[in-house]
Amino acid sequence: MINIGCHLSASAGYMNMLEESLSINANTFQFFTRNPRGGKAKDIDENDVRKFIDKWNELDYGKILAHAPYTLNMCSADERTRQFAYEVFEDDMKRMEYVPNNLYNFHPGSHVGQGVEVGIELISQTLNNVLFEDMTTTVLLETMAGKGSEVGSKFEELREIIDRVELNDKLGVCLDTCHVFDAGYDIVNDLDGVLQKFDDIIGLDRIKAIHLNDSKNAFASHKDRHEKLGEGNIGIEALLRVVNHEKLCNLPFLLETPNDLEGYKKEIEIIRKGSK
Ligand code: FE
Ligand code: FE
Ligand code: ZN
């Protein structure tokens, strides 16, 4: 069975997210480790985590994906912002070990005019400072749309970061369908070509999760506005080709479309019907 789920609110804990996911026929989910704008994370409720892991083990359920706050920018020009990114990331790595062997996704960052090279170097430095030998979490670099000075809209940039990180066996990539389309990778007309390129530059085995989104904007727009599945410029057929691709079909698929729970439930149904 395909692993599909959506972004859920973490405010009521892990068990609540698990139950909410089951109510919409999902078997994975994504959540923010803390307020998306940053700030302090709630204390881990160990009782809640224990119950979650027990239940998770009983189910045919995929890995879950934690998402770092959007404000986390490892390659900011501002020292304080970089320090904040480091502290949040370090704290999140500790918190992730309460739910071992799962995935943690972050936006590589925006170099804000310092140049891609400087950005890549600052990101790699922080990763080298926070990753540790016996961690069980896989940290995912998200493919970005290339809005503003975002790093990570080209596969080569992600490759560069991975190459500079010592413990890069802890690193993977989360491929966001809206972002790669907006970045200029034509997953609508040439999915195989895009995946071949990814394989040549990074290696397909690095992809550990897919953000399944349609795009409000045109191909190569560098905009990053998600749309409901089938209502954007990628379209349902192309998205189903992603879901059914033999190299991708066993990954967790996470919806980040503009929806409430009812809307997510419908999209999950569409994907389950359309998946082999
Ligand atoms: Fe994201
Ligand atoms: Fe995403
Ligand atoms: Zn996005």
Side-chain angles (χ1 to χ4, degrees), residues 1 24 31 36 43 66 69 90 101 103 112 115 123 131 148 154 158 170 179 185 190 205 215 222 274:
M1 187 168 56
I24 55 172
F31 61 102
D43 285 336
E90 194 189 36
N101 300 304
L103 308 167
V112 288
I123 295 160
L131 301 182
K154 297 197 176 78
L158 298 175
K170 318 289 183 198
H179 296 178
Y185 292 105
D190 188 20
D205 55 344
S215 174
H222 303 288

PDB file of all heavy atoms in Angstrom, residues 1 24 31 36 43 66 69 90 101 103 112 115 123 131 148 154 158 170 179 185 190 205 215 222 274:
ATOM      1  N   MET A   1       0.837  -1.205   0.000  1.00  0.00           N
ATOM      2  CA  MET A   1       0.000   0.000   0.000  1.00  0.00           C
ATOM      3  C   MET A   1       0.869   1.252   0.000  1.00  0.00           C
ATOM      4  O   MET A   1       1.856   1.327   0.715  1.00  0.00           O
ATOM      5  CB  MET A   1      -0.903  -0.006   1.254  1.00  0.00           C
ATOM      6  CG  MET A   1      -1.903   1.116   1.249  1.00  0.00           C
ATOM      7  SD  MET A   1      -3.217   0.969   2.497  1.00  0.00           S
ATOM      8  CE  MET A   1      -2.328   0.833   4.023  1.00  0.00           C
ATOM      9  N   ILE A  24      -8.563  10.061   7.990  1.00  0.00           N
ATOM     10  CA  ILE A  24      -8.636  10.462   6.577  1.00  0.00           C
ATOM     11  C   ILE A  24      -7.949   9.420   5.686  1.00  0.00           C
ATOM     12  O   ILE A  24      -7.583   9.711   4.551  1.00  0.00           O
ATOM     13  CB  ILE A  24      -8.024  11.869   6.347  1.00  0.00           C
ATOM     14  CG1 ILE A  24      -6.580  11.940   6.870  1.00  0.00           C
ATOM     15  CG2 ILE A  24      -8.888  12.941   7.002  1.00  0.00           C
ATOM     16  CD1 ILE A  24      -5.853  13.227   6.507  1.00  0.00           C
ATOM     17  N   PHE A  31       4.480  17.313  10.120  1.00  0.00           N
ATOM     18  CA  PHE A  31       4.116  18.294  11.156  1.00  0.00           C
ATOM     19  C   PHE A  31       5.296  19.235  11.383  1.00  0.00           C
ATOM     20  O   PHE A  31       6.448  18.897  11.097  1.00  0.00           O
ATOM     21  CB  PHE A  31       3.774  17.581  12.467  1.00  0.00           C
ATOM     22  CG  PHE A  31       4.919  16.777  13.036  1.00  0.00           C
ATOM     23  CD1 PHE A  31       5.673  17.266  14.094  1.00  0.00           C
ATOM     24  CD2 PHE A  31       5.269  15.538  12.490  1.00  0.00           C
ATOM     25  CE1 PHE A  31       6.755  16.530  14.607  1.00  0.00           C
ATOM     26  CE2 PHE A  31       6.349  14.808  12.996  1.00  0.00           C
ATOM     27  CZ  PHE A  31       7.081  15.301  14.052  1.00  0.00           C
ATOM     28  N   PRO A  36       5.786  27.456  12.924  1.00  0.00           N
ATOM     29  CA  PRO A  36       6.537  27.630  11.672  1.00  0.00           C
ATOM     30  C   PRO A  36       7.352  28.919  11.632  1.00  0.00           C
ATOM     31  O   PRO A  36       8.333  29.022  10.907  1.00  0.00           O
ATOM     32  CB  PRO A  36       5.456  27.623  10.598  1.00  0.00           C
ATOM     33  CG  PRO A  36       4.154  27.767  11.302  1.00  0.00           C
ATOM     34  CD  PRO A  36       4.356  27.247  12.684  1.00  0.00           C
ATOM     35  N   ASP A  43       7.371  20.988  25.331  1.00  0.00           N
ATOM     36  CA  ASP A  43       8.095  19.839  25.876  1.00  0.00           C
ATOM     37  C   ASP A  43       7.524  18.544  25.311  1.00  0.00           C
ATOM     38  O   ASP A  43       6.321  18.451  25.060  1.00  0.00           O
ATOM     39  CB  ASP A  43       7.969  19.813  27.405  1.00  0.00           C
ATOM     40  CG  ASP A  43       8.855  20.873  28.045  1.00  0.00           C
ATOM     41  OD1 ASP A  43       9.845  21.274  27.395  1.00  0.00           O
ATOM     42  OD2 ASP A  43       8.549  21.300  29.171  1.00  0.00           O
ATOM     43  N   ALA A  66       9.027  15.299  10.017  1.00  0.00           N
ATOM     44  CA  ALA A  66       8.987  16.556  10.765  1.00  0.00           C
ATOM     45  C   ALA A  66       9.529  17.659   9.867  1.00  0.00           C
ATOM     46  O   ALA A  66      10.433  17.423   9.061  1.00  0.00           O
ATOM     47  CB  ALA A  66       9.853  16.434  12.017  1.00  0.00           C
ATOM     48  N   PRO A  69      10.986  24.914  11.162  1.00  0.00           N
ATOM     49  CA  PRO A  69      10.297  26.187  10.911  1.00  0.00           C
ATOM     50  C   PRO A  69      10.845  26.893   9.676  1.00  0.00           C
ATOM     51  O   PRO A  69      12.023  26.758   9.345  1.00  0.00           O
ATOM     52  CB  PRO A  69      10.557  27.001  12.178  1.00  0.00           C
ATOM     53  CG  PRO A  69      11.580  26.277  12.959  1.00  0.00           C
ATOM     54  CD  PRO A  69      11.621  24.869  12.484  1.00  0.00           C
ATOM     55  N   GLU A  90      19.668  21.994  16.412  1.00  0.00           N
ATOM     56  CA  GLU A  90      20.269  21.113  17.411  1.00  0.00           C
ATOM     57  C   GLU A  90      19.207  20.558  18.360  1.00  0.00           C
ATOM     58  O   GLU A  90      19.187  19.367  18.682  1.00  0.00           O
ATOM     59  CB  GLU A  90      21.347  21.878  18.185  1.00  0.00           C
ATOM     60  CG  GLU A  90      22.229  20.957  18.994  1.00  0.00           C
ATOM     61  CD  GLU A  90      23.150  21.711  19.920  1.00  0.00           C
ATOM     62  OE1 GLU A  90      22.735  22.758  20.462  1.00  0.00           O
ATOM     63  OE2 GLU A  90      24.289  21.253  20.102  1.00  0.00           O
ATOM     64  N   ASN A 101      14.345   6.887  13.988  1.00  0.00           N
ATOM     65  CA  ASN A 101      14.298   6.369  12.610  1.00  0.00           C
ATOM     66  C   ASN A 101      13.300   7.070  11.698  1.00  0.00           C
ATOM     67  O   ASN A 101      12.801   6.476  10.751  1.00  0.00           O
ATOM     68  CB  ASN A 101      13.997   4.860  12.611  1.00  0.00           C
ATOM     69  CG  ASN A 101      15.044   4.082  13.369  1.00  0.00           C
ATOM     70  OD1 ASN A 101      16.231   4.168  13.061  1.00  0.00           O
ATOM     71  ND2 ASN A 101      14.620   3.358  14.398  1.00  0.00           N
ATOM     72  N   LEU A 103      12.082  11.052   9.737  1.00  0.00           N
ATOM     73  CA  LEU A 103      12.661  12.018   8.796  1.00  0.00           C
ATOM     74  C   LEU A 103      12.456  13.456   9.274  1.00  0.00           C
ATOM     75  O   LEU A 103      11.416  13.778   9.845  1.00  0.00           O
ATOM     76  CB  LEU A 103      11.994  11.859   7.417  1.00  0.00           C
ATOM     77  CG  LEU A 103      11.966  10.448   6.835  1.00  0.00           C
ATOM     78  CD1 LEU A 103      11.006  10.375   5.641  1.00  0.00           C
ATOM     79  CD2 LEU A 103      13.372  10.019   6.418  1.00  0.00           C
ATOM     80  N   VAL A 112      20.599  35.494   0.764  1.00  0.00           N
ATOM     81  CA  VAL A 112      20.340  36.949   0.843  1.00  0.00           C
ATOM     82  C   VAL A 112      21.488  37.808   0.293  1.00  0.00           C
ATOM     83  O   VAL A 112      21.971  38.731   0.962  1.00  0.00           O
ATOM     84  CB  VAL A 112      19.962  37.392   2.285  1.00  0.00           C
ATOM     85  CG1 VAL A 112      18.563  36.908   2.649  1.00  0.00           C
ATOM     86  CG2 VAL A 112      20.954  36.872   3.334  1.00  0.00           C
ATOM     87  N   GLY A 115      25.612  35.243  -2.158  1.00  0.00           N
ATOM     88  CA  GLY A 115      26.020  34.329  -3.222  1.00  0.00           C
ATOM     89  C   GLY A 115      25.794  32.879  -2.822  1.00  0.00           C
ATOM     90  O   GLY A 115      25.868  32.528  -1.645  1.00  0.00           O
ATOM     91  N   ILE A 123      25.608  26.555   5.150  1.00  0.00           N
ATOM     92  CA  ILE A 123      24.680  25.447   5.413  1.00  0.00           C
ATOM     93  C   ILE A 123      25.478  24.196   5.806  1.00  0.00           C
ATOM     94  O   ILE A 123      25.166  23.517   6.785  1.00  0.00           O
ATOM     95  CB  ILE A 123      23.794  25.169   4.171  1.00  0.00           C
ATOM     96  CG1 ILE A 123      22.878  26.362   3.883  1.00  0.00           C
ATOM     97  CG2 ILE A 123      22.971  23.892   4.367  1.00  0.00           C
ATOM     98  CD1 ILE A 123      22.332  26.403   2.458  1.00  0.00           C
ATOM     99  N   LEU A 131      24.982  17.432  13.162  1.00  0.00           N
ATOM    100  CA  LEU A 131      24.765  15.991  12.958  1.00  0.00           C
ATOM    101  C   LEU A 131      25.698  15.210  13.874  1.00  0.00           C
ATOM    102  O   LEU A 131      26.824  15.635  14.121  1.00  0.00           O
ATOM    103  CB  LEU A 131      25.017  15.607  11.490  1.00  0.00           C
ATOM    104  CG  LEU A 131      24.156  16.327  10.456  1.00  0.00           C
ATOM    105  CD1 LEU A 131      24.467  15.810   9.045  1.00  0.00           C
ATOM    106  CD2 LEU A 131      22.661  16.177  10.742  1.00  0.00           C
ATOM    107  N   GLY A 148      13.483  34.294  -4.721  1.00  0.00           N
ATOM    108  CA  GLY A 148      14.490  35.164  -4.097  1.00  0.00           C
ATOM    109  C   GLY A 148      15.877  34.557  -4.201  1.00  0.00           C
ATOM    110  O   GLY A 148      16.319  34.179  -5.289  1.00  0.00           O
ATOM    111  N   LYS A 154      18.546  24.059  -7.534  1.00  0.00           N
ATOM    112  CA  LYS A 154      19.262  23.278  -8.548  1.00  0.00           C
ATOM    113  C   LYS A 154      19.826  22.033  -7.877  1.00  0.00           C
ATOM    114  O   LYS A 154      20.378  22.121  -6.772  1.00  0.00           O
ATOM    115  CB  LYS A 154      20.420  24.101  -9.134  1.00  0.00           C
ATOM    116  CG  LYS A 154      19.966  25.350  -9.869  1.00  0.00           C
ATOM    117  CD  LYS A 154      21.095  25.875 -10.760  1.00  0.00           C
ATOM    118  CE  LYS A 154      20.638  27.070 -11.570  1.00  0.00           C
ATOM    119  NZ  LYS A 154      20.608  28.306 -10.738  1.00  0.00           N
ATOM    120  N   LEU A 158      22.329  21.083  -4.102  1.00  0.00           N
ATOM    121  CA  LEU A 158      22.098  20.084  -3.050  1.00  0.00           C
ATOM    122  C   LEU A 158      23.272  19.105  -2.998  1.00  0.00           C
ATOM    123  O   LEU A 158      23.742  18.722  -1.926  1.00  0.00           O
ATOM    124  CB  LEU A 158      20.773  19.354  -3.296  1.00  0.00           C
ATOM    125  CG  LEU A 158      19.513  20.247  -3.271  1.00  0.00           C
ATOM    126  CD1 LEU A 158      18.281  19.436  -3.649  1.00  0.00           C
ATOM    127  CD2 LEU A 158      19.322  20.897  -1.905  1.00  0.00           C
ATOM    128  N   LYS A 170      23.705  10.594   6.909  1.00  0.00           N
ATOM    129  CA  LYS A 170      22.496  11.034   7.636  1.00  0.00           C
ATOM    130  C   LYS A 170      21.615  11.933   6.780  1.00  0.00           C
ATOM    131  O   LYS A 170      20.575  12.379   7.238  1.00  0.00           O
ATOM    132  CB  LYS A 170      22.867  11.836   8.899  1.00  0.00           C
ATOM    133  CG  LYS A 170      24.010  11.308   9.715  1.00  0.00           C
ATOM    134  CD  LYS A 170      23.642  10.034  10.432  1.00  0.00           C
ATOM    135  CE  LYS A 170      24.775   9.552  11.308  1.00  0.00           C
ATOM    136  NZ  LYS A 170      24.594   8.125  11.667  1.00  0.00           N
ATOM    137  N   HIS A 179       7.802  22.670  -6.064  1.00  0.00           N
ATOM    138  CA  HIS A 179       9.068  23.405  -6.099  1.00  0.00           C
ATOM    139  C   HIS A 179       9.923  23.047  -7.324  1.00  0.00           C
ATOM    140  O   HIS A 179      10.459  23.940  -7.972  1.00  0.00           O
ATOM    141  CB  HIS A 179       9.883  23.135  -4.827  1.00  0.00           C
ATOM    142  CG  HIS A 179       9.221  23.639  -3.574  1.00  0.00           C
ATOM    143  ND1 HIS A 179       9.772  23.467  -2.325  1.00  0.00           N
ATOM    144  CD2 HIS A 179       8.049  24.290  -3.377  1.00  0.00           C
ATOM    145  CE1 HIS A 179       8.969  24.009  -1.412  1.00  0.00           C
ATOM    146  NE2 HIS A 179       7.909  24.504  -2.019  1.00  0.00           N
ATOM    147  N   TYR A 185      12.277  22.196 -13.584  1.00  0.00           N
ATOM    148  CA  TYR A 185      12.433  20.785 -13.944  1.00  0.00           C
ATOM    149  C   TYR A 185      11.074  20.274 -14.422  1.00  0.00           C
ATOM    150  O   TYR A 185      10.106  20.259 -13.653  1.00  0.00           O
ATOM    151  CB  TYR A 185      12.921  19.967 -12.736  1.00  0.00           C
ATOM    152  CG  TYR A 185      14.329  20.303 -12.314  1.00  0.00           C
ATOM    153  CD1 TYR A 185      14.578  21.060 -11.165  1.00  0.00           C
ATOM    154  CD2 TYR A 185      15.424  19.867 -13.060  1.00  0.00           C
ATOM    155  CE1 TYR A 185      15.877  21.372 -10.781  1.00  0.00           C
ATOM    156  CE2 TYR A 185      16.724  20.175 -12.683  1.00  0.00           C
ATOM    157  CZ  TYR A 185      16.945  20.919 -11.539  1.00  0.00           C
ATOM    158  OH  TYR A 185      18.231  21.224 -11.162  1.00  0.00           O
ATOM    159  N   ASP A 190       8.435  15.457 -18.923  1.00  0.00           N
ATOM    160  CA  ASP A 190       9.638  14.632 -18.973  1.00  0.00           C
ATOM    161  C   ASP A 190      10.084  14.177 -17.578  1.00  0.00           C
ATOM    162  O   ASP A 190      11.209  14.458 -17.150  1.00  0.00           O
ATOM    163  CB  ASP A 190      10.767  15.433 -19.661  1.00  0.00           C
ATOM    164  CG  ASP A 190      11.999  14.578 -19.920  1.00  0.00           C
ATOM    165  OD1 ASP A 190      11.877  13.327 -19.933  1.00  0.00           O
ATOM    166  OD2 ASP A 190      13.090  15.165 -20.092  1.00  0.00           O
ATOM    167  N   ASP A 205      18.712   7.298  -4.785  1.00  0.00           N
ATOM    168  CA  ASP A 205      18.532   6.688  -3.458  1.00  0.00           C
ATOM    169  C   ASP A 205      18.582   7.724  -2.335  1.00  0.00           C
ATOM    170  O   ASP A 205      18.251   7.408  -1.202  1.00  0.00           O
ATOM    171  CB  ASP A 205      19.573   5.578  -3.229  1.00  0.00           C
ATOM    172  CG  ASP A 205      20.996   6.067  -3.429  1.00  0.00           C
ATOM    173  OD1 ASP A 205      21.175   7.160  -4.034  1.00  0.00           O
ATOM    174  OD2 ASP A 205      21.928   5.395  -2.980  1.00  0.00           O
ATOM    175  N   SER A 215       0.937  23.181  -8.528  1.00  0.00           N
ATOM    176  CA  SER A 215       1.498  24.540  -8.491  1.00  0.00           C
ATOM    177  C   SER A 215       0.520  25.562  -9.067  1.00  0.00           C
ATOM    178  O   SER A 215      -0.048  25.352 -10.138  1.00  0.00           O
ATOM    179  CB  SER A 215       2.795  24.588  -9.300  1.00  0.00           C
ATOM    180  OG  SER A 215       3.257  25.925  -9.387  1.00  0.00           O
ATOM    181  N   HIS A 222       9.615  30.103 -10.574  1.00  0.00           N
ATOM    182  CA  HIS A 222      10.365  30.391  -9.335  1.00  0.00           C
ATOM    183  C   HIS A 222       9.504  31.067  -8.277  1.00  0.00           C
ATOM    184  O   HIS A 222       9.963  31.957  -7.567  1.00  0.00           O
ATOM    185  CB  HIS A 222      11.610  31.245  -9.637  1.00  0.00           C
ATOM    186  CG  HIS A 222      12.526  30.603 -10.621  1.00  0.00           C
ATOM    187  ND1 HIS A 222      13.311  29.505 -10.306  1.00  0.00           N
ATOM    188  CD2 HIS A 222      12.745  30.857 -11.932  1.00  0.00           C
ATOM    189  CE1 HIS A 222      13.990  29.140 -11.390  1.00  0.00           C
ATOM    190  NE2 HIS A 222      13.667  29.933 -12.389  1.00  0.00           N
ATOM    191  N   GLY A 274      -5.830   6.208  -7.785  1.00  0.00           N
ATOM    192  CA  GLY A 274      -4.993   6.309  -8.980  1.00  0.00           C
ATOM    193  C   GLY A 274      -3.652   5.628  -8.870  1.00  0.00           C
ATOM    194  O   GLY A 274      -2.886   5.605  -9.820  1.00  0.00           O
TER     195      GLY A 274
END
